[in-house]
Amino acid sequence: MTEDKVKAQIVDIVKKEYQMQMVNLFEGNVSARMEDRVWVTPSQVSKEEMTEDMLIEMDLSGHILKCPAGFRPSSETGMHLEVYRLCPDVQAVLHNHSTYATAYAVNHMPIPAGFLTEVDMFFGEIPVTPYGKPGTAEVYKDFYQYLPGKKALLLANHGVLTMAETVPLAFSYAEAVEKAAKTLYIAGRLGTLQPIR
């Protein structure tokens, strides 16, 4: 895959997330890795207005290689780089605040396995990582306890993180996590969750 294709995918997914109300204009971030380079979305830029030439190019240590004038990397860049450090096979990381999954995160409730076939097939239990102030290393200091081995994490009082081999797949995981959270929430209001037998 070419650099241009990867950058186009990032911008496309950012806009999809906004349209699906998984993020507002300024929250959430996406990155992709190609070998020893990473492209990450800029901080405080409207998702509707984001373009490929706004993306910031970095190395895996966080040194900026290319940054358009007037822009800066997402404040959560360190979290993305930590995932790449822990998971050599991951090529894309996505963070959003989708409503139902984030509600689980706010309540420090993992999305459980054993109730939805799709959750069991793709994720297993989706754990909640300890709270850390957004934009600091506190957010990801405990990631080593969960990664590698998970495709999705809930960030306590914060949101959702997914990781995959491609940006579209990381987005698909985020969609699936949100759908599972919504389904389990509604099922719990209807009655007692019934485990898979």
Side-chain angles (χ1 to χ4, degrees), residues 76 129-143 155:
E76 300 291 5
T129 65
Y131 177 76
K133 183 179 177 181
T136 72
E138 290 294 306
V139 173
Y140 54 85
K141 66 181 175 59
D142 295 301
F143 277 14
L155 309 175

Side-chain angles (χ1 to χ4, degrees), residues 5 8 11 14 16 42 51 56 66 80 84 89-90 111-112 114 128 132 135 138 141 144 147 153 161 173 179 183 195:
K5 177 67 172 175
V11 172
V14 163
K16 281 184 180 176
T51 59
I56 290 91
K66 293 180 186 176
H80 292 245
Y84 294 131
D89 294 337
V90 166
I111 296 175
V128 184
E138 290 294 306
K141 66 181 175 59
Y144 72 93
L147 302 175
L153 299 173
L161 187 72
Y173 288 159
K179 179 71 177 296
T183 300

Side-chain angles (χ1 to χ4, degrees), residues 55-67:
L55 301 178
I56 290 91
E57 183 179 341
M58 314 180 80
D59 65 22
L60 289 168
S61 297
H63 300 111
I64 294 175
L65 303 176
K66 293 180 186 176
C67 183

Side-chain angles (χ1 to χ4, degrees), residues 98-153:
S98 59
T99 303
Y100 285 86
T102 300
Y104 271 80
V106 167
N107 282 317
H108 297 201
M109 294 172 58
I111 296 175
F115 297 98
L116 280 173
T117 302
E118 292 76 14
V119 171
D120 287 10
M121 286 177 58
F122 294 107
F123 303 106
E125 179 181 273
I126 302 169
V128 184
T129 65
Y131 177 76
K133 183 179 177 181
T136 72
E138 290 294 306
V139 173
Y140 54 85
K141 66 181 175 59
D142 295 301
F143 277 14
Y144 72 93
Q145 297 182 35
Y146 306 91
L147 302 175
K150 289 292 182 182
K151 299 179 175 108
L153 299 173

